C-alpha cells in the first residue's frame, strides 16, 4: 500500500506570495491532519479534516487554511507569506480517528523556504 | 491532551539497549501512549502504542506501570541508524490533534 505523498517536496517563495501544498493520504484513510515543524517551535498542529470538514484547528492565523476533497486528498494554503512561515509542513493520514488507537501516518513533508 | 516530559537527549553505543522514559502525570483514563521516531527532514514514523502493562513489536517494547503516569520505550540492540528524535505522545479518541513535545534526541555512536 502506498504511503502518504506530499507535493511539492521543496518550494521557495518570496514574502507576500501565497502557496498551496498538496497531500494524498493512504488509500482508505479518511482523516488528514497538517503540522508545521520549525527548529524553534517544534511540531505544531495546524488543522485536521475528515469527510471534507475541518474538525480541529490549531493556534495559527487565518492566513493558514485548508480543504479536503471527496477522495480524501487535502490541500493547505498559506497566503501573504512571511519569513517565519519557512518550515517543514507535514501531512498525516489515519483511518478514522487518531490520537489513540488509530495511528497517524506521516508523509515526507514539504520544505517551504520564504525569502 | 496530557503534557509529556522526556529527556532532551541521550547517547548510546551500537548493540546496547536504550530505554527512554516519558512522564505523563496527568494522563486521562481514555488516553493511550504512542511513540514516534523522526529522522531529519522526514515525517515522524509510528513505532509503538500501548494503554497499560507491556507491548512489544518487531521494533521496540513499551513498558507502562500500573499508575500509567510514565512509560518507557525500550529499543533493543540499537544501531547507528536508530539515531533520531523520539517523541512520546499521550491522547485519547477525542480527535486527531497530536501534541508533540520536544522529543528525545538519541545519538548512537559506533
Amino acid at each position: 500500500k502506498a504511503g502518504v505523498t506530499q507535493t511539492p517536496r521543496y518550494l521557495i517563495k518570496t514574502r507576500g506570495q501565497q502557496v498551496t501544498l498538496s497531500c494524498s493520504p493512504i488509500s482508505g484513510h479518511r482523516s488528514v491532519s497538517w503540522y508545521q515543524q520549525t527548529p524553534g517551535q517544534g511540531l505544531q498542529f495546524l488543522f485536521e479534516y475528515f469527510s471534507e470538514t475541518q474538525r480541529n484547528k490549531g493556534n495559527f492565523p487565518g492566513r493558514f487554511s485548508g480543504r479536503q476533497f471527496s477522495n480524501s486528498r487535502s490541500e493547505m494554503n498559506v497566503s501573504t507569506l512571511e519569513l517565519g512561515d519557512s518550515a517543514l509542513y507535514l501531512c498525516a493520514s489515519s483511518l478514522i480517528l487518531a490520537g489513540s488507537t488509530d495511528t497517524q501516518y506521516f508523509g515526507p513533508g514539504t520544505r517551504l523556504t520564504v525569502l | 491532551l496530557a503534557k509529556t516530559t522526556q529527556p532532551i537527549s541521550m547517547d548510546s553505543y551500537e548493540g546496547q539497549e536504550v530505554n527512554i522514559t516519558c512522564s505523563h502525570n496527568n494522563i486521562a483514563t481514555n488516553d493511550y501512549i504512542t511513540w514516534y521516531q523522526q529522522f531529519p527532514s522526514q515525517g515522524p514514523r509510528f513505532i509503538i502504542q500501548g494503554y497499560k502493562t507491556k507491548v512489544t513489536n518487531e521494533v521496540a517494547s513499551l513498558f507502562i506501570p500500573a499508575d500509567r503516569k510514565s512509560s518507557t520505550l525500550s529499543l533493543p540492540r540499537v544501531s547507528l541508524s536508530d539515531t533520531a528524535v523520539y517523541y512520546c505522545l499521550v491522547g485519547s479518541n477525542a480527535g486527531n490533534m497530536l501534541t508533540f513535545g520536544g522529543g528525545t534526541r538519541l545519538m548512537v555512536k559506533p
Side-chain angles (χ1 to χ4, degrees):
Chain A
K1 193 182 262 192
V4 177
T5 58
Q6 293 187 244
T7 56
R9 293 293 312 279
Y10 302 92
L11 205 49
I12 300 176
K13 292 286 188 179
T14 56
R15 278 181 298 175
Q17 287 187 310
Q18 75 159 17
V19 66
T20 299
L21 312 181
S22 180
C23 171
S24 292
I26 292 172
S27 177
H29 285 194
R30 297 164 61 191
S31 168
V32 173
S33 298
W34 289 89
Y35 296 82
Q36 180 197 66
Q37 186 171 30
T38 60
Q41 299 297 320
L43 263 161
Q44 294 185 286
F45 172 80
L46 278 158
F47 29 65
E48 182 240 344
Y49 287 87
F50 176 71
S51 293
E52 303 178 64
T53 302
Q54 186 182 88
R55 293 201 304 177
N56 291 297
K57 190 177 191 306
N59 189 25
F60 279 82
R63 299 186 297 107
F64 292 81
S65 63
R67 59 177 175 168
Q68 185 181 35
F69 302 95
S70 58
N71 61 359
S72 293
R73 191 176 70 84
S74 177
E75 288 181 347
M76 70 162 281
N77 184 277
V78 188
S79 62
T80 319
L81 284 166
E82 301 176 359
L83 294 179
D85 297 332
S86 294
L88 180 67
Y89 289 88
L90 293 159
C91 164
S93 77
S94 62
L95 268 175
I96 302 174
L97 295 175
S100 59
T101 59
D102 209 13
T103 305
Q104 286 199 28
Y105 295 88
F106 285 81
T110 294
R111 170 74 62 187
L112 171 65
T113 301
V114 181
L115 302 176
Chain B
L1 294 169
K3 179 177 164 56
T4 61
T5 302
Q6 324 173 214
I8 294 174
S9 64
M10 292 181 69
D11 287 344
S12 182
Y13 291 92
E14 282 191 291
Q16 288 188 331
E17 178 185 74
V18 171
N19 296 309
I20 306 175
T21 296
C22 178
S23 172
H24 27 80
N25 291 317
N26 297 322
I27 189 169
T29 303
N30 294 333
D31 285 346
Y32 281 74
I33 300 152
T34 309
W35 285 80
Y36 283 86
Q37 173 195 56
Q38 186 179 27
F39 299 111
S41 296
Q42 293 186 28
R45 182 177 75 103
F46 171 85
I47 300 175
I48 198 166
Q49 183 180 76
Y51 182 80
K52 61 180 179 180
T53 62
K54 177 184 174 183
V55 180
T56 298
N57 61 23
E58 64 278 6
V59 176
S61 295
L62 179 60
F63 298 91
I64 306 169
D67 66 6
R68 305 203 321 125
K69 292 184 184 298
S70 66
S71 59
T72 299
L73 173 73
S74 181
L75 305 172
R77 298 179 298 282
V78 294
S79 64
L80 297 176
S81 63
D82 292 317
T83 294
V85 178
Y86 292 82
Y87 294 96
C88 162
L89 291 92
V90 174
S92 69
N93 264 325
N96 290 5
M97 299 171 54
L98 290 185
T99 300
F100 286 82
T104 297
R105 191 172 300 274
L106 173 65
M107 173 70 72
V108 179
K109 303 174 182 177

